[in-house]
């Protein structure tokens, strides 16, 4: 990283994930990348839609890439000079539910990751989510194996933590009063977590058992959620991301 290329430009080589691809002009692409060393960046890929020889299939989401980026002072976009797949995840390409979960997670990352700021925790989390979804796509389905949406739900909770938006599920965010262990609670993700009835409550009711599983997943970094928790957890994660990261705006 950091080698000089053209006069006034700077070249960076880093691992990256494609977060979004936007057509530009007749043949180019603008790609949003989560990079290991630079954070989230946007780059222009010249002739990416016209010439398969230049980038081939390397600009598909899901795979981990090694990219060479050229940064020119004053330019809004970097230039993507080269990209090659170093961590393929081909199993998900024929596993629709895995691809859908991966797409949702990468969308969350795109809204959450700051521009041009390395976030090692977020980078590792994105790799973990995609690796687990890839592994699940290669295994025969069984009652014991987590669904892609369960993997997505747990990683969503960890993404909130990595971004500093962890939901408070033990104490009322308004009064600071602790909710007894195992007791059902009302949760408002936009307000940051549990809200007691005395402070207005919230629309989402979480059973005592489900709340303990959410807390355990947050605290231990291992997935204690059950399939029955998935819809609620995704509501919590997306509600928090709407409030903090403009998801859906």
């Amino acid at each position: 990283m950091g080698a000089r290329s053209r006069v006034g430009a700077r070249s960076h080589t880093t691992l990256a994930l494609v977060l979004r691809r936007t057509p530009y002009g007749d043949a180019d692409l603008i790609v949003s990348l989560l990079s290991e060393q630079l954070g989230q960046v946007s780059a222009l890929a010249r002739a990416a839609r016209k010439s398969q020889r230049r980038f081939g299939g390397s600009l598909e989401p899901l795979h981990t890439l090694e990219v060479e980026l050229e940064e020119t002072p004053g330019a809004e976009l970097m230039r993507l000079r080269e990209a090659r797949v170093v961590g393929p995840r081909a199993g998900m390409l024929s596993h629709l539910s895995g691809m859908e979960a991966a797409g949702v997670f990468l969308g969350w990352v795109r809204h959450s990751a700051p521009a041009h700021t390395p976030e090692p925790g977020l980078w590792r989390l994105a790799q973990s989510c995609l690796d687990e979804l890839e592994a699940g796509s290669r295994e025969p389905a069984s009652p014991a194996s987590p669904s892609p949406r369960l993997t997505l739900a747990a990683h969503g909770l960890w993404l909130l933590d990595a971004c500093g938006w962890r939901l408070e599920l033990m104490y009322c965010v308004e009064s600071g009063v602790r909710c007894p262990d195992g007791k059902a609670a009302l949760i408002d993700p936009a307000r940051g977590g549990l809200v007691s009835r005395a402070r207005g409550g919230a629309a989402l009711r979480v059973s005592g058992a489900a709340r303990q599983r959410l807390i355990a997943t947050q605290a231990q970094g291992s997935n204690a959620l059950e399939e029955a928790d998935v819809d609620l957890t995704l509501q919590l994660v997306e509600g928090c991301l709407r409030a903090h990261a403009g998801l859906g705006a």
Side-chain angles (χ1 to χ4, degrees), residues 75-175:
E76 183 177 351
L77 297 172
M78 292 186 171
R79 180 183 176 192
L80 181 62
R81 296 177 60 88
E82 293 183 18
R84 66 186 185 92
V85 176
V86 294
R89 299 185 179 92
M92 271 191 284
L93 299 178
S94 58
H95 195 260
L96 181 59
S97 57
M99 285 185 64
E100 289 175 344
V104 169
F105 188 79
L106 292 175
W108 290 348
V109 170
R110 182 171 61 82
H111 279 85
S112 303
H116 300 279
T117 304
E119 292 283 351
L122 200 53
W123 170 259
R124 289 192 297 269
L125 191 61
Q127 293 290 314
S128 167
C129 185
L130 295 178
D131 286 345
E132 287 192 26
L133 290 170
E134 171 69 7
S137 71
R138 294 180 177 275
E139 297 173 357
S142 75
S145 59
S147 69
R149 294 180 78 245
L150 182 59
T151 297
L152 173 65
H155 280 82
L157 286 178
W158 300 330
L159 181 144
L160 297 182
D161 204 4
C163 294
W165 304 323
R166 181 173 180 164
L167 289 167
E168 175 55 67
L169 300 174
M170 297 177 66
Y171 297 86
C172 174
V173 295
E174 300 290 343
S175 67

